Amino acid sequence: MSSQEQPFKIHQCGKEYLVWNSKDVRSLREKFRIVGTLIGCLPRAPRQNAHLGLPLQLIPEEVTLLLENGVAEVVTEVYNKPSGEDISQYEQQKEESYRQQIELFRDERRNEIRRKLPDIIEGKKNKRNKLLLERRKNGEHIDDAEFDKEIEMDPDSVEIPAIRPEHMLVQIHEVCAHRRKTCITVDWQFPSTREEKLRYKVYKDFWERGHFLTSGSKFGGDFLVYPGDPSRFHSFFIAICKPHDEEMTALDVVTMGRLGTSVKKTVVICFEDKNGQLCYTSLQWTGIS
């Protein structure tokens, strides 16, 4: 793997490892088969989770692989105390963000009124006719032309109240507003335990064979293994890492076999032999009772 002039910046945020730059996310996937997981909401659709955006969250195995190949560095950011000028600049940016959100809100409301204008007018007509009928029953003389004016509607002239700041979305800056920060390179310690070393060895072996890998925690395993990009292919294997001397009951084996069958994947048990060589055993449920 060839290195690049500027290594990818992987930001340590607590126990998470995030990539914020969209170009880096694309390069990681296209050049290095690093998929990760998008965990951020989209600016224009923040209350849905069917489609997510930046940042990209990486698992420790992905980070270690990139570090070993010299194409990334893990950093943590330390921010200095902002000055009065920094705070003033931030407040101005916040007020400008509020102003833009108010204009966006009003434009969207007017567009919504335009789309629903026939239904709105029809509702006004029904309400008017009901009122006319009641007043005529009471013997009042009604001028229809006067009521016709009330159902006319110009979306551009509709008064739309502004949303209050406490109801607006908070814009989180990719870069700190006052830009006074120090990036410190993190001393990377993964893998350190026996289990972590096995997991990374398995991850790296599958990756070197040309596979794409993602976390398999949702499927009861360590990794999901794909023959190509996960956006185009379903995973073939659920990789489960087990030390060679760890005991497994018959129930454990049956459980793993049925797990793979229920999601139409092959369970691969990954372990090292006594000589430290990786070994793989696949499980498939035959359905014979």
Side-chain angles (χ1 to χ4, degrees):
M1 179 186 297
S2 61
S3 61
Q4 54 180 29
E5 294 183 1
Q6 293 295 328
F8 298 111
K9 295 285 187 184
I10 302 173
H11 298 262
Q12 182 184 37
C13 300
K15 295 182 179 180
E16 309 300 337
Y17 305 96
L18 310 175
V19 179
W20 287 91
N21 187 288
S22 59
K23 292 182 179 179
D24 288 351
V25 170
R26 181 174 180 178
S27 295
L28 286 173
R29 194 178 189 112
E30 293 180 350
K31 296 180 181 180
F32 304 105
R33 287 181 280 110
I34 299 296
V35 180
T37 305
L38 291 169
I39 61 173
C41 66
L42 301 180
R44 297 300 299 275
R47 294 178 178 85
Q48 57 79 43
N49 57 8
H51 302 283
L52 298 175
L54 294 175
L56 182 77
Q57 182 182 42
L58 302 181
I59 58 177
E61 289 79 11
E62 292 171 323
V63 177
T64 303
L65 184 73
L66 293 171
L67 292 175
E68 278 192 1
N69 285 276
V71 296
E73 61 177 344
V74 181
V75 298
T76 185
E77 296 171 350
V78 178
Y79 291 95
N80 301 326
K81 185 177 180 179
S83 65
E85 181 182 351
D86 295 329
I87 295 173
S88 176
Q89 180 184 0
Y90 172 75
E91 291 297 331
Q92 291 176 7
Q93 291 176 346
K94 185 172 67 172
E95 291 301 320
E96 177 63 18
S97 175
Y98 287 161
R99 187 191 65 78
Q100 292 176 357
Q101 288 190 57
I102 289 172
E103 292 302 317
L104 266 174
F105 170 75
R106 284 174 169 163
D107 289 343
E108 289 180 351
R109 289 288 293 130
R110 289 193 178 96
N111 289 333
E112 185 178 8
I113 291 172
R114 290 188 184 96
R115 290 194 301 268
K116 297 181 178 180
L117 190 58
D119 295 333
I120 294 173
I121 292 177
E122 185 64 27
K124 283 179 172 287
K125 285 181 178 180
N126 293 335
K127 185 177 180 180
R128 180 204 63 174
N129 292 335
K130 184 178 180 180
L131 180 61
L132 284 174
L133 183 61
E134 290 178 355
R135 294 180 65 175
R136 281 174 176 154
K137 284 182 178 179
N138 295 330
E140 294 185 40
H141 175 71
I142 305 299
D143 183 2
D144 289 351
E146 178 183 348
F147 276 83
D148 287 339
K149 291 180 181 179
E150 294 184 7
I151 66 173
E152 294 177 357
M153 188 175 186
D154 179 12
D156 293 326
S157 63
V158 175
E159 184 67 25
I160 300 176
I163 51 177
R164 296 191 297 180
E166 57 265 30
H167 296 156
M168 296 182 185
L169 300 176
V170 178
Q171 178 68 41
I172 299 177
H173 295 274
E174 180 179 321
V175 180
C176 185
H178 50 74
R179 303 177 186 275
R180 296 175 182 269
K181 66 177 182 179
T182 303
C183 286
I184 302 175
T185 301
V186 174
D187 184 19
W188 189 247
Q189 299 294 329
F190 184 92
S192 57
T193 67
R194 179 190 181 193
E195 290 75 14
E196 289 175 350
K197 290 177 180 178
L198 174 59
R199 279 173 53 92
Y200 178 63
K201 193 170 184 178
V202 170
Y203 178 90
K204 185 177 180 181
D205 186 60
F206 274 114
W207 184 86
E208 288 179 340
R209 293 170 186 261
H211 296 290
F212 284 73
L213 291 94
T214 64
S215 172
S217 57
K218 291 184 178 180
F219 290 83
D222 291 290
F223 307 110
L224 293 181
V225 185
Y226 298 79
D229 193 297
S231 64
R232 300 176 56 198
F233 297 89
H234 289 292
S235 58
F236 283 1
F237 310 124
I238 301 175
I240 299 177
C241 302
K242 293 283 187 181
H244 74 277
D245 55 355
E246 181 178 311
E247 293 185 358
M248 287 194 300
T249 66
L251 180 59
D252 292 332
V253 176
V254 171
T255 300
M256 288 187 287
R258 297 189 67 175
L259 168 67
T261 301
S262 65
V263 292
K264 298 181 179 179
K265 305 180 192 303
T266 299
V267 171
V268 179
I269 301 177
C270 315
F271 59 95
E272 288 181 312
D273 62 18
K274 294 181 180 180
N275 298 319
Q277 296 296 315
L278 277 178
C279 301
Y280 300 108
T281 298
S282 63
L283 298 177
Q284 288 182 308
W285 188 253
T286 62
I288 299 174
S289 57

